[in-house]
Amino acid sequence: MLGTTRRARSWVLLVGALTIALGVAPAQAAHQPEQIILPGARSAEGIAAGTGTTFYAGELFTGNIFRGDVRTGTASTFVTAPAGRMALGLRVDVPHRLLFVAGGFTGQAYAYDLTTGATRAVVQLTSEDSIINDVAVTSDGAWFTDSLAARLYFVPVSATGVIGQVRTLALHGPAAVVLPGFNNNGIQATADGRTLVVAHTNSAVLNTVDPTTGDSATIAGVSVPNVDGILLEGRTAYVVQNFSNAVTEFQLAGDLSSGRLLKTVTSRGFEVPTTVARFGDRLAVVNAKFDTGFPPTATQFEVNVVDR
């Protein structure tokens, strides 16, 4: 866990960023959503698709994890986290039967057993000021972003599912820009794991990152104010723009050097969405409700399921 002073500094930075973002106007052209309640949740942030129609969603300030089904429209508690944990971005590693979770202000990452919900590992990524914000899974491990620093963290996983020691990757180029508030945020990897795509909130762009050197380049033609979580499927990127209350879909070039906007999805049910998972022609989007405050004061949190 972060110490009290370190946590307070991170908290101030985050609240400041959210306050600035409140001035952004919402997007247009709404869809009517289906809503799946996260029972008992008092905050929310991350979502990830599991197998079939299963999803996993996190409770930001407690670290609890819910497991739900977009077909039945139900969800229930899957992991009751020990005190002191947080849950921001999360991602499923199906081959290793793991659920990786970004630990926010704690500087930690968590790995849970995908079958039982038992904790498989607690990895201290850093002891410095940090917001461990999101995670991407490759065939050999998990990458985590830090919204307060020009670095990524890699947690290796062996073929037999053994979780190894963290490695820190220093960033260079546009992904290394660090300003007050959120910097590197959502993250995804290409199917071969040779390139990472990282959202930079302050710069309102997506950057590619070489996972070996840390060199980065901005993807031209992709302007995404309030960018938060992202989803990459082939060369299609789904980008959550939280205070814009929108998910934008971009077609990226084969070399990931540029992209063009395909569509913008909005919904009357969106209330500061932060992350997205796809199930066929539908998107599952989590409401963080940061418009009510930080921590949010809303009494209900849900996943919106909308047509893409």
Side-chain angles (χ1 to χ4, degrees):
M1 287 294 295
L2 295 176
T4 303
T5 300
R6 186 177 294 124
R7 179 189 289 265
R9 288 197 298 267
S10 297
W11 202 278
V12 169
L13 287 171
L14 188 54
V15 171
L18 292 171
T19 301
I20 292 171
L22 278 168
V24 178
Q28 300 176 353
H31 295 273
Q32 181 64 44
E34 297 175 5
Q35 290 196 327
I36 303 173
I37 305 301
L38 302 177
R42 290 296 176 265
S43 59
E45 213 277 349
I47 191 170
T51 57
T53 55
T54 300
F55 70 85
Y56 299 85
E59 187 171 5
L60 172 59
F61 287 100
T62 66
N64 292 341
I65 306 296
F66 297 87
R67 182 168 58 189
D69 190 306
V70 296
R71 180 181 57 83
T72 63
T74 59
S76 59
T77 301
F78 176 59
V79 175
T80 300
R85 293 190 187 179
M86 301 181 76
L88 281 76
L90 49 140
R91 197 69 56 189
V92 171
D93 180 349
V94 173
H96 298 118
R97 304 300 299 167
L98 293 171
L99 176 67
F100 283 101
V101 179
F105 299 133
T106 68
Q108 296 174 339
Y110 311 111
Y112 296 102
D113 187 288
L114 198 58
T115 302
T116 66
T119 300
R120 290 275 297 275
V122 177
V123 182
Q124 191 70 47
L125 304 178
T126 179
S127 58
E128 299 181 25
D129 287 2
S130 61
I131 300 175
I132 309 303
N133 208 325
D134 210 347
V135 54
V137 168
T138 68
S139 61
D140 56 359
W143 287 94
F144 294 84
T145 56
D146 184 342
S147 291
L148 297 186
R151 57 187 175 233
L152 302 177
Y153 308 98
F154 180 67
V155 177
V157 182
S158 74
T160 58
V162 176
I163 298 168
Q165 297 297 311
V166 62
R167 174 168 65 88
T168 301
L169 178 69
L171 298 174
H172 314 286
V177 172
V178 176
L179 299 170
F182 287 107
N183 297 286
N184 293 308
N185 196 328
I187 184 171
Q188 287 279 270
T190 55
D192 60 11
R194 295 180 180 177
T195 304
L196 303 172
V197 176
V198 182
H200 196 290
T201 303
N202 276 322
S203 300
V205 299
L206 302 184
N207 294 311
T208 57
V209 174
D210 185 314
T212 301
T213 65
D215 294 338
S216 65
T218 298
I219 300 176
V222 180
S223 176
V224 280
N226 300 306
V227 60
D228 202 321
I230 61 174
L231 177 65
L232 182 66
E233 296 190 343
R235 290 297 181 264
T236 302
Y238 300 90
V239 181
V240 183
Q241 296 175 250
N242 50 32
F243 279 93
S244 300
N245 283 317
V247 180
T248 43
E249 181 180 339
F250 289 87
Q251 182 65 49
L252 305 183
D255 62 359
L256 300 177
S257 64
S258 63
R260 62 183 180 89
L261 179 65
L262 296 178
K263 66 176 67 173
T264 299
V265 177
T266 63
S267 168
R268 289 185 293 275
F270 286 176
E271 190 174 353
V272 192
T274 45
T275 50
V276 60
R278 187 172 78 89
F279 296 88
D281 289 332
R282 310 212 77 192
L283 301 177
V285 184
V286 173
N287 280 336
K289 301 190 177 183
F290 292 143
D291 57 332
T292 69
F294 192 85
T297 58
T299 58
Q300 175 180 292
F301 289 83
E302 62 277 323
V303 171
N304 293 301
V305 184
V306 298
D307 295 332
R308 57 176 283 272

